[in-house]
Amino acid sequence: MARVYNWQIGREMSYWYPESRPKRQFAAVFDTNKCIACQTCTLACKTTWTSGKGQEYMLWNNVETKPYGSYPLAWDLELLEVLNGGRWNGRTYEGETIFESAPAGARVLSWRPAAEDYAYPNVGEDDCAGQVDGGAGFSLPHMAWFYYLARICNHCTYPACLASCPRGSIYKRPEDGIVLVDQGRCRGYQECVKGCPYKKVYFNPMTGTSEKCIACFPKVETGLQPQCFVNCIGKIRMAGYISRPEAARPDNPIDYLVHVRKVALPLYPQFGLEPNVYYIPPVHVPPAFLRQMFGPGVDDAIETYRNAPNDPDLAGLLALFGSSESVMMRWARRGDEIVGADDRGTPLVRVLMREPVHVRPAFDRLYQITRTNCP
Amino acid sequence: MQRVIGAVLVLGITAGASCQRAATVTPEVVAVRAAAVPEDPGDRAWQSVPEHVARLLVQDVVEPRLLQPSTPEVRVRAITDGSLIAFRLEWADAELNDRPGPGRFADGCAVQLPQKSAAPAPDPQMGQAGHGVQIAFWRADWQASVDGRGDSITDLYPNASIDHYPFDAPSLERGSETQTKMARRFAPADALGNRRGGLRSSAVEDLIAEGPGTLGPAPASVSRGRGVRTPTGWLVVIVRPVPDGLSPTSRTQVAFAVWEGSAEEAGSRKMRSGWAGLAMRGPS
Ligand code: SF4
Ligand code: SF4
């Protein structure tokens, strides 16, 4: 194993291959506070990529209700149990990652879902943690809560799927860090299915190979965001590219949210993969639960996010989510207007921080007619 | 239907009988010369052929390794007509595994030969750079397809229910170019010619390797084969051209591997043998 640096756990760690970061890294920010579990993203992906024979059960994008939802069944609990906890000392993880705790004969610590574990994509949907007793009122964080966790492949910096494949059939593209299974080379050993802690590689019994989220690379290559991003009803998603922390650019939307404001956090950073989908944690959930899922930055992230109404830059950037099909490489705020731009700075979209209010009186003087509202 | 059951029974009895018949056990694989090579694992010709018992070891050289031993041995017989050689592999396996799926693995076996017979023999674990091996690989799920299993999801999961596939839309003429193209779009491995599943005409595939992790398709498909279930396991015949270096006066090496589906064995998680001698005997 090689020694590599993982900034999400604040230290060096062991990985199967030496550190080799792509020219730029595809990344995303999901705001969990805005997701309504409409599953439009799931369907957008399904109709685009996984409508074939053998792909019936595959959800490259899925949305699960936490704390009880999971797809495949208990994907996170199963691993947390075998990983046997782990301590954070400030922003440094002192426990073992899945690479460091790999058992004899394996490259990563992992577990293998059974076919049945894929049979309940809606398990735990809208089930909340705890009961609401008579006379109870809500305060923050809620004493009874749930939230929606939308999940795609994290196009990890240190992918466990890639490390697990004995044939080198999985590769990370040097140009954008997107992780792909070479469908011409895969022999269907399912090592990656077992190895990915997020369980985002799926075995196709009809083609006999493993398949996974491709970050809609044909779209990304032309500067467009993936299907699950642009179809998102809740406008919770933004795709872009993330820099290393020391090279963060405040005018890069992803860098700003992750590195500058630290409001978006990786999913289970303690696993050690440096995943590249970052989540703004839900504000109403007990932080102890969130710390296990998103690491020690949760409390600061929630405080920053809750202060967004007094924070025009942050509120402004959040308003850019879901405003354009194009990937916004840069952004800027000019007063009440937020501009999303390409990498040459050419504006792609302008959004107002607050939508203008138009009052339409019931009686239209011009046409001398009374308006009615149609349902 | 009755006839099918009858046929299966007869085959079972024949196979069982062949297992019980004590064969001469040889320290190396001896291919006996005959007028024709039998492709049927139950063919009577197999009864009079000596048997080599190849002890299997866990593959514990490269990750991912197999830590728990499963299949202890494979019993091998061989017949040649001078241009083709048939190997019959027999091993015990209590559970039939021939349905692919997430978390499901198929039973399988392989015969490995040096690419060139010249000494020294390549590394028995998939060969090495410059000293390649050729492999004929048989898999139980491919056999099930050859034996008539369909390629719908309900053939694998009988209770699955499917609303619709876009390429099954009534507006698309079945078998038309547009329809085929659309189905292909959702089967990327097929589109690249990497046929690991679906309908197959052969249960055997030819491969070459120059070390672990380098396995790839052989330049030409030269092997064929057939596997049948016995009451206690598998009987598989693999027929291929006589390898370079094997003649009535010269010998080469051969190695074997078995994958036990119920133990989640696939790829390098397998039971394998070292090299055994391979000789030819009988009238030339
Ligand atoms: S999330 Fe899983 S499938 Fe995606 S890159 Fe990371 S390890 Fe691989
Ligand atoms: S489309 Fe957006 S809002 Fe709807 S479930 Fe997906 S992520 Fe949540």
Side-chain angles (χ1 to χ4, degrees), chain B:
Chain B
M1 185 62 185
Q2 245 169 9
R3 198 175 308 157
V4 174
I5 293 171
V8 170
L9 269 180
V10 169
L11 185 63
I13 291 162
T14 325
S18 81
C19 306
Q20 276 150 31
R21 196 183 175 99
T24 320
V25 174
T26 48
E28 59 184 1
V29 180
V30 177
V32 173
R33 290 201 64 131
V37 291
E39 217 171 301
D40 179 357
D43 195 296
R44 294 173 70 88
W46 291 112
Q47 292 180 8
S48 52
V49 173
E51 187 166 85
H52 169 76
V53 181
R55 304 266 168 238
L56 298 177
L57 313 159
V58 286
Q59 189 295 111
D60 58 358
V61 181
V62 293
E63 263 99 6
R65 295 181 237 171
L66 187 67
L67 300 180
Q68 289 295 326
S70 55
T71 314
E73 62 183 31
V74 57
R75 299 202 297 282
V76 185
R77 301 181 186 201
I79 296 178
T80 178
D81 64 3
S83 62
L84 293 175
I85 183 166
F87 295 94
R88 193 187 74 169
L89 281 65
E90 180 175 14
W91 72 96
D93 176 7
E95 190 179 328
L96 164 69
N97 299 100
D98 70 350
R99 285 170 200 268
R104 287 178 176 177
F105 296 86
D107 299 326
C109 67
V111 174
Q112 176 184 281
L113 296 152
Q115 207 146 39
K116 291 189 210 86
S117 69
D123 190 319
Q125 175 62 25
M126 313 292 288
Q128 71 217 65
H131 291 275
V133 291
Q134 38 187 334
I135 293 166
F137 176 51
W138 171 93
R139 230 167 65 178
D141 56 328
W142 296 344
Q143 186 65 56
S145 170
V146 171
D147 292 345
R149 184 165 71 199
D151 75 334
S152 77
I153 196 74
T154 46
D155 289 303
L156 299 179
Y157 295 91
N159 298 324
S161 98
I162 310 301
D163 299 329
H164 172 69
Y165 296 108
F167 40 87
D168 279 351
S171 54
L172 291 167
E173 194 191 321
R174 284 203 83 73
S176 65
E177 203 193 321
T178 324
Q179 198 243 357
T180 319
K181 246 172 112 180
M182 192 188 263
R184 264 280 154 88
R185 199 180 302 155
F186 294 108
D190 267 9
L192 287 173
N194 184 18
R195 305 252 328 127
R196 318 292 327 142
L199 294 179
R200 295 184 72 92
S201 55
S202 171
V204 176
E205 120 182 296
D206 286 290
L207 301 157
I208 49 169
E210 288 199 352
T214 65
L215 191 69
S221 294
V222 291
S223 305
R224 47 183 205 267
R226 186 161 125 70
V228 293
R229 222 20 221 169
T230 69
T232 53
W234 283 105
L235 263 184
V236 177
V237 169
I238 290 174
V239 182
R240 49 150 294 137
V242 165
D244 179 36
L246 181 64
S247 75
T249 54
S250 64
R251 50 166 38 80
T252 179
Q253 287 97 353
V254 62
F256 306 95
V258 169
W259 288 263
E260 171 51 58
S262 63
E264 300 185 356
E265 290 173 11
S268 61
R269 295 183 201 265
K270 68 185 173 198
M271 296 296 293
R272 43 99 199 193
S273 76
W275 289 120
L278 172 59
M280 195 185 272
R281 182 192 295 165
S284 45

Side-chain angles (χ1 to χ4, degrees), chain A residues 270-320:
Chain A
Q270 66 268 42
F271 293 170
L273 289 76
E274 215 186 280
N276 286 304
V277 175
Y278 296 84
Y279 292 87
I280 301 179
V283 296
H284 61 288
V285 170
F289 183 91
L290 297 176
R291 275 180 223 127
Q292 183 182 43
M293 189 167 275
F294 301 114
V298 158
D299 303 79
D300 290 348
I302 289 180
E303 197 185 318
T304 306
Y305 186 77
R306 291 190 67 194
N307 190 43
N310 312 312
D311 186 339
D313 282 340
L314 180 59
L317 178 50
L318 292 173
L320 266 191

Side-chain angles (χ1 to χ4, degrees), chain A residues 89-344:
Chain A
N89 181 0
R91 295 297 163 98
T92 306
Y93 178 61
E94 293 184 338
E96 288 187 327
T97 66
I98 63 165
F99 304 109
E100 292 158 342
S101 50
R107 295 180 179 185
V108 302
L109 174 75
S110 60
W111 69 284
R112 183 189 300 291
E116 303 76 68
D117 293 331
Y118 294 99
Y120 314 99
N122 291 350
V123 72
E125 193 166 71
D126 289 1
D127 278 351
C128 69
Q131 286 184 326
V132 182
D133 293 325
F138 279 120
S139 56
L140 283 178
H142 291 176
M143 73 298 201
W145 53 272
F146 66 76
Y147 67 96
Y148 302 124
L149 186 70
R151 303 203 303 118
I152 60 171
C153 162
N154 293 292
H155 297 280
C156 307
T157 305
Y158 302 113
C161 57
L162 186 154
S164 303
C165 179
R167 291 179 52 70
S169 303
I170 301 186
Y171 61 106
K172 187 166 175 65
R173 306 208 305 181
E175 63 269 37
D176 54 17
I178 290 175
V179 177
L180 298 175
V181 179
D182 181 341
Q183 291 297 320
R185 185 161 171 80
C186 173
R187 288 182 59 84
Y189 299 158
Q190 303 191 44
E191 293 294 340
C192 52
V193 176
K194 187 175 183 209
C196 168
Y198 304 99
K199 293 294 170 259
K200 280 294 170 192
V201 196
Y202 299 85
F203 178 70
N204 182 326
M206 291 305 185
T207 61
T209 57
S210 298
E211 299 174 2
K212 66 179 285 297
C213 160
I214 59 171
C216 293
F217 70 82
K219 290 190 75 183
V220 167
E221 283 169 4
T222 59
L224 299 177
Q225 302 193 53
Q227 293 291 72
C228 58
F229 289 71
V230 299
N231 287 281
C232 176
I233 301 295
K235 300 189 175 188
I236 82 153
R237 302 180 177 218
M238 178 175 272
Y241 297 92
I242 190 164
S243 315
R244 287 188 62 151
E246 63 275 16
R249 295 176 52 137
D251 66 346
N252 168 339
I254 307 290
D255 279 358
Y256 186 78
L257 295 168
V258 175
H259 292 314
V260 179
R261 306 306 305 275
K262 298 182 169 45
V263 72
L265 307 166
L267 182 61
Y268 291 119
Q270 66 268 42
F271 293 170
L273 289 76
E274 215 186 280
N276 286 304
V277 175
Y278 296 84
Y279 292 87
I280 301 179
V283 296
H284 61 288
V285 170
F289 183 91
L290 297 176
R291 275 180 223 127
Q292 183 182 43
M293 189 167 275
F294 301 114
V298 158
D299 303 79
D300 290 348
I302 289 180
E303 197 185 318
T304 306
Y305 186 77
R306 291 190 67 194
N307 190 43
N310 312 312
D311 186 339
D313 282 340
L314 180 59
L317 178 50
L318 292 173
L320 266 191
F321 278 51
S323 64
S324 168
E325 186 169 17
S326 298
V327 174
M328 287 164 274
M329 306 290 287
R330 309 257 182 98
W331 75 287
R333 181 176 71 85
R334 295 198 188 91
D336 257 6
E337 188 186 66
I338 326 297
V339 183
D342 65 16
D343 44 4
R344 287 183 302 276

